[in-house]
Amino acid sequence: MTDEEYRQFLAILTRRYVQPKIPHLRRRFAHHMMEEDEWSRHLTQAERGARVLRFIEDGCDDDPYQTFTLDRLSGSVWETWSSLGFSNRIVEESGFLDAYEAHAGEILAGLRPEHLPEADKEVLRAMGSSDPDAELAELVFRARGRQQRMERMQKEAPIQRHLRTVEEQLDQSWREFDDLRKMKSKDSSAEIPKKSRRWFKGLGQIAQGAALSIANVGLAVGVFHFPVSPETQTWGALASVATGIGTVLNGVGDLINE
């Protein structure tokens, strides 16, 4: 498949799976008064959580539990869980997940950084990236690298179920952090079990993936008004959401295999 054929393929998928559902999604969010402020809040949560987690991975030489309070660490877990839950709902309701479920192999096989909207670089900058071009290329590379693993996962359960499982795992993790925070406030000398750096790295990837999906579904729905072409606003959003889903699922490995 040539690059032009691939772009046409994404456009066909967008017309088939996404565009029929966009009007309903717009009406539903308007009915519930969930407009740009609601979307922006969840996007900001993901970006804020990712900044803390990026610092733990790249810039924190000391024990993260000495650098950050349990309140802040617990808050990052909650922000990531909350933004992922929102991301999961909107990728399902918008039809992006249906397109991904049905054609993950073809989407991932042809995916390139240049297929993603320029707006994604702004999202990465908001998450603390100093080189969004290189980071976007890495995220695409990692998402493509999951192609065979994605096929195996789909045989086990739908991708939708895997994403929901991640959400449930983060909910449990946040409750554990919150319990530790409360215990520490009662007894400052109490020893607490600690998550590894790898675990926090996985959490950061989940925050990144959620942010990309929220930004691009919002772009397709018209909630966000990034300066992109109409073509990129449609099939480009699908490429980016596919990268976001892949990034979330990449993070799961680090959470589980810490």
Side-chain angles (χ1 to χ4, degrees):
M1 188 184 304
T2 67
D3 185 69
E4 181 57 31
E5 288 171 339
Y6 180 74
R7 292 170 190 255
Q8 291 176 0
F9 170 65
L10 292 184
I12 290 169
L13 295 185
T14 303
R15 288 196 297 271
R16 180 185 303 169
Y17 292 98
V18 178
Q19 288 182 354
K21 294 191 175 183
I22 292 299
H24 170 74
L25 190 60
R26 287 175 179 153
R27 289 193 299 270
R28 191 183 76 77
F29 276 91
H31 176 70
H32 289 284
M33 304 300 290
M34 295 174 67
E35 298 179 345
E36 184 172 356
D37 287 348
E38 182 72 10
W39 291 67
S40 296
R41 179 170 65 83
H42 286 288
L43 180 57
T44 299
Q45 283 178 342
E47 292 170 343
R48 187 168 54 230
R51 284 196 298 272
V52 171
L53 299 162
R54 180 188 299 273
F55 182 78
I56 290 174
E57 181 182 358
D58 297 335
C60 181
D61 295 329
D62 299 322
D63 182 348
Y65 289 81
Q66 294 180 347
T67 304
F68 294 98
T69 65
L70 272 174
D71 280 350
R72 178 62 268 185
L73 294 176
S74 176
S76 295
V77 178
W78 184 89
E79 288 165 344
T80 304
W81 165 75
S82 178
S83 59
L84 178 65
F86 184 75
S87 170
N88 284 347
R89 290 194 297 276
I90 60 174
V91 297
E92 291 173 20
E93 294 185 37
S94 61
F96 281 104
L97 185 59
D98 289 337
Y100 188 80
E101 289 270 16
H103 300 279
E106 299 101 313
I107 293 172
L108 294 176
L111 190 62
R112 300 290 184 274
E114 56 267 27
H115 297 142
L116 277 62
E118 284 290 314
D120 285 355
K121 297 176 185 177
E122 293 303 316
V123 175
L124 290 176
R125 288 190 185 95
M127 289 188 284
S129 176
S130 59
D131 191 350
D133 288 284
E135 189 161 332
L136 204 61
E138 180 182 357
L139 291 177
V140 169
F141 175 79
R142 289 181 179 276
R144 287 177 57 198
R146 289 191 60 89
Q147 185 176 349
Q148 291 184 341
R149 177 170 171 77
M150 193 67 64
E151 292 170 357
R152 293 196 299 271
M153 291 177 68
Q154 285 184 294
K155 291 179 181 179
E156 299 169 2
I159 298 302
Q160 177 191 45
R161 179 63 256 173
H162 288 290
L163 291 173
R164 289 294 184 184
T165 298
V166 181
E167 188 179 339
E168 292 164 4
Q169 289 173 335
L170 291 189
D171 182 29
Q172 180 61 33
S173 294
W174 173 73
R175 294 178 187 278
E176 291 171 359
F177 267 90
D178 196 48
D179 288 342
L180 291 175
R181 181 184 61 82
K182 293 174 181 176
M183 178 184 73
K184 196 70 173 176
S185 67
K186 294 179 180 178
D187 181 3
S188 60
S189 64
E191 289 292 326
I192 60 172
K194 297 179 179 180
K195 298 291 187 182
S196 68
R197 285 179 179 271
R198 183 176 180 182
W199 189 90
F200 286 110
K201 177 184 177 183
L203 189 65
Q205 290 182 76
I206 293 170
Q208 282 183 320
L212 288 175
S213 293
I214 293 169
N216 281 275
V217 177
L219 189 66
V221 173
V223 172
F224 298 128
H225 303 286
F226 298 119
V228 297
S229 67
E231 294 81 9
T232 306
Q233 188 173 355
T234 53
W235 60 258
L238 175 55
S240 187
V241 170
T243 304
I245 291 172
T247 302
V248 168
L249 296 177
N250 274 333
V252 177
D254 288 323
L255 284 185
I256 296 175
N257 301 309
E258 62 167 322

